[in-house]
Amino acid sequence: MIDFSQIPSPCYVLEDRLLRKNLELLQYVQQQAGIEIICALKGFSMFSTFPMVRQYLAGATASSLHEARLAFEEMGSKAHVYSPAYLDKEFDELLSYSSHISFNSLNQFEKFKEKSIANGISCGLRINPQYSEVETDMYNPCIAGSRLGITRNQLGDTLPEGIEGLHSHTLCENDSYTLERTLKAIEERFGDLLKQAKWLNLGGGHLITRADYEPEHLISVLKGLKNRFPNLKIILEPGSAVGWRTGYLTSTVLDILDSQGINVAILDVSFAAHMPDTLEMPYKPKILGAHQEPVAGKHTYRFGGMTCLAGDFYGDYSFDEPLKIGDSIVFDDMIHYTMVKTTTFNGVNLPSIGIWREDDTFDLIKSFGYESFKDRLS
């Protein structure tokens, strides 16, 4: 439905209507289950959309002072905050943007509890239930040696005085059945403490807006949890689910070359700098109009970014017609965990940011240049 000829290259472009569709589903789950869903800014921080997000969700969760300030200034709500550790020089300012603060250790809580309680903050502890189905170690917070969360043996039979909630985040783009099994592990280890708490934050990783997700099962699971622990306010904080499949990254073919029998198309974007999760997770991004895997007899290309990093490439994809220099290549699902992770490595420019409106018009929200590169350096 988008006229990509109206959109510059490279550019992240979000579709208003797709974001609204996701938000409507999240709001439905929120209302039916009687819980609170907030937007995780670490996965989706496109603040030009926050007025729409605020119509449907209860607020935002932040992992730093800057994210908390962004939520406060652009979404108009104080944030639920969690960080592995807090800085003394930032903490007083952080308090002014926060409603809830979860601490990663008892040391951190003891250090900051007096200031937090005096400022009306609802304090929590991040727990490690020692159960996660995340297969990529980089995204698994429960592997041996993980720095994230407190294991059950570090806590006594009662919550520390001043702690009102528990925070658990062990999912990554998982479904409600994974959550159901995770809750079993949480209750086995922390059930007695849950009875003493006022709230339980189940973190992110709930990919509620994915096509094969079963929202009704999630609602059932959450209602069951509330029945078992009627004292608890339940909070979910997805990031990917908000921005899931809501937009694209446009790019242009700059050159095509033969590399020892492999056709390589070099783009005006970088996988390493603009789509780092494709290399870190890793996963293969979808390209509109392409065969996502090589097809014998068709025109096949490996796509390379414009940095000098040897590994700045991804492929291979096939096309019905041969590519030409100047052709447009559009990557799908490039809104969540993309803009928030971009860098200016090699001095490459950042993609512009725009929105395709519900009335089929395009708004260029922001463009970048030399200053964006220079401001990160000294």
Side-chain angles (χ1 to χ4, degrees):
M1 295 180 66
I2 290 184
D3 180 1
F4 285 104
S5 67
Q6 296 185 35
I7 299 170
S9 175
C11 183
Y12 296 109
V13 54
L14 175 137
E15 281 197 73
D16 260 357
R17 67 179 183 86
L18 297 179
L19 177 61
R20 191 179 300 278
K21 180 180 177 182
N22 283 353
L23 292 170
E24 287 172 347
L25 177 56
L26 294 173
Q27 183 187 55
Y28 171 77
V29 171
Q30 187 173 236
Q31 293 173 341
Q32 294 299 308
I35 63 160
E36 187 174 276
I37 295 181
I38 55 181
C39 176
L41 299 191
K42 67 179 180 179
F44 184 81
S45 293
M46 192 173 177
F47 60 87
S48 54
T49 69
F50 282 2
M52 180 189 291
V53 173
R54 197 68 178 95
Q55 294 175 30
Y56 296 92
L57 302 186
T61 178
S63 302
S64 65
L65 169 64
H66 291 167
E67 284 187 350
R69 179 175 175 179
L70 189 71
F72 184 77
E73 292 183 351
E74 301 295 336
M75 197 174 286
S77 62
K78 291 190 173 184
H80 293 235
V81 179
Y82 163 77
S83 175
Y86 298 103
L87 298 174
D88 288 312
K89 64 182 180 180
E90 293 183 349
F91 199 75
D92 286 350
E93 184 180 357
L94 180 67
L95 290 171
S96 66
Y97 306 135
S98 309
S99 60
H100 297 63
I101 296 180
S102 292
F103 295 92
N104 191 59
S105 71
L106 293 174
N107 289 336
Q108 284 279 290
F109 173 59
E110 288 298 325
K111 183 175 183 178
F112 295 111
K113 70 176 182 180
E114 290 186 10
K115 280 187 175 181
S116 299
I117 295 171
N119 281 271
I121 302 295
S122 182
C123 296
L125 294 175
R126 175 161 179 170
I127 57 173
N128 178 355
Q130 298 171 269
Y131 179 90
S132 176
E133 298 182 19
V134 177
E135 295 179 356
T136 304
D137 283 353
M138 184 175 182
Y139 297 93
N140 186 341
C142 295
I143 60 173
S146 171
R147 73 195 193 286
L148 304 176
I150 301 171
T151 52
R152 186 62 181 87
N153 63 301
Q154 296 175 303
L155 295 170
D157 295 332
T158 58
L159 288 175
E161 184 178 354
I163 290 294
E164 295 186 338
L166 297 177
H167 181 135
S168 176
H169 183 168
T170 67
L171 279 65
C172 179
E173 296 188 357
N174 292 127
D175 62 19
S176 57
Y177 294 93
T178 305
L179 173 63
E180 190 172 33
R181 294 187 290 270
T182 301
L183 282 173
K184 183 178 179 181
I186 292 173
E187 291 180 43
E188 286 176 353
R189 289 179 171 85
F190 296 94
D192 57 335
L193 299 181
L194 290 177
K195 293 178 181 178
Q196 304 168 32
K198 294 183 179 180
W199 52 266
L200 172 63
N201 186 326
L202 290 169
H206 315 271
L207 199 45
I208 301 166
T209 52
R210 188 173 60 192
D212 61 352
Y213 197 98
E214 298 179 27
E216 297 302 331
H217 179 254
L218 173 63
I219 292 167
S220 174
V221 168
L222 294 172
K223 283 184 173 180
L225 178 63
K226 287 171 61 69
N227 287 337
R228 295 190 298 278
F229 299 96
N231 55 299
L232 285 178
K233 178 181 181 179
I234 307 300
I235 303 160
L236 305 185
E237 46 180 44
S240 289
V242 176
W244 184 256
R245 302 205 68 177
T246 57
Y248 318 91
L249 175 58
T250 64
S251 68
T252 300
V253 176
L254 300 179
D255 197 8
I256 299 173
L257 53 93
D258 182 338
S259 177
Q260 303 175 72
I262 297 173
N263 290 321
V264 177
I266 299 177
L267 305 175
D268 62 349
V269 292
S270 164
F271 294 92
H274 304 146
M275 304 174 253
D277 269 4
T278 64
L279 304 181
E280 293 174 2
M281 188 64 178
Y283 79 96
K284 189 173 187 179
K286 181 179 179 181
I287 293 177
L288 301 188
H291 300 276
Q292 306 310 306
E293 298 297 335
V295 178
K298 293 190 180 294
H299 306 278
T300 299
Y301 301 86
R302 179 169 298 170
F303 287 97
M306 58 186 301
T307 74
C308 63
L309 175 69
D312 189 5
F313 69 88
Y314 219 99
D316 299 331
Y317 300 80
S318 292
F319 294 79
D320 294 333
E321 300 295 332
L323 293 180
K324 304 182 300 298
I325 294 173
D327 279 351
S328 177
I329 300 295
V330 180
F331 293 91
D332 193 13
D333 196 19
M334 282 290 149
I335 300 299
H336 64 97
Y337 282 102
T338 47
M339 283 183 279
V340 295
K341 285 192 169 187
T342 54
T343 73
T344 57
F345 171 66
N346 252 188
V348 297
N349 200 21
L350 298 170
S352 299
I353 299 173
I355 297 177
W356 189 266
R357 299 294 185 185
E358 291 169 302
D359 63 358
D360 288 330
T361 59
F362 175 69
D363 278 348
L364 180 62
I365 303 299
K366 194 169 187 178
S367 293
F368 301 90
Y370 172 66
E371 292 303 325
S372 299
F373 166 65
K374 184 180 179 182
D375 283 348
R376 300 185 183 205
L377 305 171
S378 62

